[in-house]
Each structure stands twice: as C-alpha cells, then as structure tokens.
Amino acid sequence: MGNRIPVHLNGAFLYDIVMEMTFNGLEQELRQLNLKGRRVCIVTDSNVAPLYLKEVEAIVAACCRETVPFIFPAGEENKNLDTVRGLYETLINKKFDRHDYLLALGGGVVGDLCGFAAATYLRGISFVQVPTTLLSQVDSSIGGKTGVDFDAYKNMVGAFHMPKLVYTNISALKTLSEEQFSSGMGEVIKHGLIRDAVYYEWLIKHIPAIKKRELVILEEMVRVSNQIKRDVVEKDPTEQGERALLNLGHTLGHAIEKLSDFKLLHGHCVGLGCISAMAISMKRGLIPEHELSRLWEIMKQFDMPVTVSGLSAGEIIDLTRNDKKMDSGTIRFILLEQIGKAYVDKTVTEAEMSEGLLPILA
Ligand code: NAD
C-alpha cells in the first residue's frame, strides 16, 4: 500500500510508518498492537495539546484500558531530564507496568523525549510516534534515535529505541507556523541532496504547491522522504556507516544552531550547513557552481535563511571541533559527489570549512 512503509531490521519486520489525511485510521492501527487491558500515556506539549489531544485521546481510549495525558511546556528548552523526571513520576503514580505504552503526539521535541522515557522506564516499554511537525514527519520520528539535551549539550543523553508504529496525519501540517514548516523543509531538501536527484527536481518543480500546503503534494513529499530515511536507517540502524549521510549539513549546522543559542531553528541550520557542504564540494570540483546558486535560490523560495549574521567562521569551526561527530580527532564531514549522492569525508581542512562558510556569513 502506498501510504504504508514497513521498516525492517536485519530483514525482520520492526514497524510500519502509516500516512493518512486524518487521525481516524489510528484506531485500526492501534488495534493491531492489541492494547486491550493496557494503559497508554499520551505525551504532548502545550501547543499541540489544545489542537489535537482531545481527538487523539478519544481514539486511543477506544483501544485500551486507560489513557493518561502528560503535557509539558513546548520548546527545546524543555527537552531535558527534568521533564523526563515529571513523566517518570506520572507513570509511577499511575502504576504503568512493562506492558503499558507511551504515545508521542507532537514534533521532534515530544518524540525524542517520549522515546527516551520509553527506552528507559522499567528498562524499556513500547511507544508509538504520532508526529505533527514537518521535521518530525519526515525525519525525527523514524529510525529510533531518542534522547534529551543536558545543560548546553544537545541530545547528549539518549538511546536507540524503535517505536511500534509511526502514524502520520499529513493534515496536521496545516496548523504549523510558516517558520516551523520552512524549518522542516531543511531536512526534506537534505534527503534529495543525499540520495535522490529526481526527488530534488520534483521538490523544485512543486515549490508553489508545497508552500500552499496542498495535501496531496505534501503526502507525496512526506512519503518519498520517509522512504529515503527508511532505506538509510535499515542499512545502518545504529549509525556505524551509511546513516552518517543523514548528517549532511549538520556538522557546521549544529555549531550555528548552538551559537545562535537555539534561536535559529534546527532545519534552518541544517539548510545553512548544506550550503556550506555544497560550497566545499564545489571547490573540490565535484559539484558545478550553478548548483550552489540553485540551492541558495530554492532555500530562499522556501523562506529559509540563506545567511546568518553576527557569527565568524572561526567560532563556528572551533565549536565544530568539539562536536560529537568528531571521530578520533577527525571531523566526519558529509560532502556531495553529485546531486543525489553524498559521501563521508574525513579530510576536510579548516581552510576548506572557512571557504565553505563564506556564502552563508552575512
Ligand atoms: P518541536 O517539536 O519543538 O515543534 C516545533 C513547534 O511546533 C513547537 O512549538 C510545537 O509545539 C509546535 N507544533 C508541533 N506540531 C504542531 C502542529 N501540527 N501545529 C502547530 N504547532 C505545532 O520541533 P521539531 O522541529 O518538530 O523537532 C525538533 C527536535 O527534533 C529537536 O530537538 C531535534 O534535536 C530533534 N530531532 C531528532 C531527530 C531524531 O532522529 N531523533 C532528527 C532530527 C531532529
């Protein structure tokens, strides 16, 4: 079925990613998980709760013994161990046991935090992802990476823990702010760049429809992005090799995100990092110059920032050196061999990074 993408590990079925236009189909999917007699804690944030909690809770309640909502204040600053502690307390008070479930209803912050709590509560319980932002629908809900931030360190504490189901309601993207939608486009464009030149061209052709959030076009976009991410994580579930390609734009992007004090959104920083990675690839003679101007133009059309002010190449590179993607003192950089084909390179010099940053430093 076109709206169902199965995810496997070593050839064995793990879970389905299901894409629908409403939440209605969630009931049938949950029934397959046999939640009769189980409790389900619906973890969500203060922005998503007023929009979707009531509807989703009614659907979940029809399939299980008891639902327990856990709502925390929205924002990356709450993706931390204090919030996890509050969630553990709720689970303990409500006597959740090893057979009960968590359900993440929200963006990547909710999904990462809920997944981490599921990975660690009673040494691991089951959870379901119901992603509601573009970034979480195309990226963070798939692949089982969970975690929280610790002090200033992003995603410092975490675990790999696979969901039992990812249920995506494409229509939820209609209520997303322009800024959050364009941030998600950073990861979408990245998928085209690393794995699929045809998809990259398709995205360019459909810019107006995507920006208007035409549901049929969004469904196609989320589906292809999911397939790309699924294909990569199936081959390399714990990031020993190919999965690193998903980090295109992240090496310098993470540093920019941190230096902006997380005021710049994740997907926007990934986009800026993609420009730099492409600029380095261009300097190496791998990518023609017009592709760099084209990426710049596409990002502008998607209302993504193409420059960042107030930062120097020196401070971005310094922070990159400390990034956890450092591998025995070497920075693992993702470069482009061509549009649709990325590779890991450990030879990028600081001089090349400086040059790569030139197009984005205002
Ligand atoms: P987010 O979860 O903070 O959501 C962004 C904002 O949109 C929030 O204010 C949220 O309340 C609101 N929102 C969510 N759904 C909405 C909807 N349908 N309508 C209106 N508002 C809605 O941010 P995000 O961009 O989804 O996720 C970012 C997080 O994802 C970061 O913490 C990042 O580290 C993580 N991430 C994880 C992975 C992974 O593989 N686990 C991959 C990429 C990013």
Side-chain angles (χ1 to χ4, degrees):
M1 253 167 82
N3 66 353
R4 180 180 298 271
I5 301 176
V7 182
H8 298 84
L9 179 64
N10 302 325
F13 172 77
L14 271 188
Y15 58 93
D16 275 328
I17 305 165
V18 178
M19 279 151 282
E20 295 287 351
M21 293 295 191
T22 67
F23 285 117
N24 297 340
L26 180 60
E27 181 167 343
Q28 197 193 328
E29 298 303 324
L30 293 179
R31 289 203 189 280
Q32 305 291 325
L33 298 177
N34 199 9
L35 300 176
K36 261 195 199 152
R38 309 275 180 243
R39 296 179 179 87
V40 179
C41 178
I42 303 175
V43 181
T44 191
D45 73 25
S46 52
N47 292 335
V48 178
L51 292 168
Y52 303 117
L53 179 59
K54 206 170 154 202
E55 185 182 354
V56 170
E57 193 172 8
I59 291 169
V60 180
C63 312
C64 71
R65 174 171 142 205
E66 185 188 0
T67 55
V68 174
F70 177 82
I71 305 168
F72 65 94
E76 181 74 31
E77 64 277 20
N78 298 307
K79 192 178 111 174
N80 59 33
L81 290 173
D82 292 336
T83 309
V84 173
R85 186 192 167 89
L87 177 52
Y88 289 153
E89 280 170 357
T90 301
L91 299 177
I92 292 165
N93 287 338
K94 293 286 180 181
K95 302 191 168 30
F96 269 59
D97 69 27
R98 282 192 303 120
H99 304 292
D100 293 326
Y101 268 66
L102 300 188
L103 183 146
L105 173 66
V109 164
V110 170
D112 278 12
L113 182 135
C114 175
F116 177 70
T120 47
Y121 181 72
L122 294 175
R123 298 195 184 90
I125 64 170
S126 299
F127 85 115
V128 169
Q129 290 268 22
V130 183
T132 60
T133 61
L134 180 57
L135 187 138
S136 58
Q137 293 193 353
V138 297
D139 195 351
S140 63
S141 64
I142 309 152
K145 266 193 190 180
T146 74
V148 294
D149 306 332
F150 188 82
D151 293 343
Y153 303 99
K154 215 172 132 63
N155 299 326
M156 193 45 81
V157 181
F160 282 99
H161 190 55
M162 301 296 167
K164 287 280 183 275
L165 164 75
V166 179
Y167 185 94
T168 292
N169 172 6
I170 307 283
S171 311
L173 298 179
K174 286 275 188 188
T175 53
L176 206 56
S177 70
E178 295 288 337
E179 207 194 9
Q180 292 292 348
F181 187 82
S182 88
S183 169
M185 286 309 300
E187 302 283 6
V188 171
I189 292 169
K190 178 199 80 179
H191 286 148
L193 288 173
I194 61 169
R195 278 290 281 241
D196 193 337
V198 175
Y199 180 46
Y200 188 63
E201 295 303 327
W202 181 91
L203 289 171
I204 296 166
K205 191 169 155 210
H206 291 91
I207 290 174
I210 294 169
K211 286 190 71 179
K212 273 194 237 146
R213 302 192 205 176
E214 289 178 13
L215 288 177
V216 177
I217 296 295
L218 293 186
E219 187 185 34
E220 175 71 1
M221 182 174 89
V222 172
R223 188 179 60 75
V224 179
S225 261
N226 279 197
Q227 274 166 347
I228 292 172
K229 176 130 191 195
R230 187 273 311 263
D231 290 350
V232 175
V233 299
E234 271 190 350
K235 282 197 183 134
D236 179 19
T238 54
E239 200 168 318
Q240 307 300 312
E242 182 170 345
R243 188 165 177 165
L245 301 183
L246 293 167
N247 288 331
L248 175 73
H250 284 63
T251 311
L252 295 171
H254 261 160
I256 294 169
E257 193 177 358
K258 233 180 190 179
L259 288 166
S260 80
D261 248 335
F262 297 98
K263 288 192 181 73
L264 283 173
L265 298 181
H266 179 76
H268 288 157
C269 294
V270 169
L272 290 164
C274 285
I275 295 182
S276 291
M278 194 185 271
I280 297 172
S281 309
M282 186 194 87
K283 285 278 169 196
R284 289 190 173 195
L286 299 166
I287 295 284
E289 197 169 343
H290 73 264
E291 287 294 357
L292 184 61
S293 345
R294 205 153 79 115
L295 175 60
W296 172 289
E297 198 43 50
I298 296 160
M299 285 176 46
K300 265 173 56 178
Q301 289 196 46
F302 278 121
D303 305 315
M304 297 167 66
V306 288
T307 55
V308 57
S309 56
L311 299 183
S312 72
E315 58 186 336
I316 296 171
I317 294 168
D318 276 352
L319 203 60
T320 301
R321 259 198 242 109
N322 297 330
D323 193 283
K324 64 178 167 7
K325 275 167 212 72
M326 288 264 292
D327 186 5
S328 333
T330 323
I331 293 171
R332 279 201 293 168
F333 222 95
I334 313 303
L335 295 181
L336 293 172
E337 215 170 294
Q338 58 190 60
I339 301 296
K341 197 157 185 220
Y343 72 101
V344 179
D345 191 293
K346 294 185 180 175
T347 66
V348 176
T349 64
E350 295 198 3
E352 281 182 295
M353 280 190 240
S354 267
E355 270 201 90
L357 284 165
L358 278 180
I360 62 164
L361 293 181

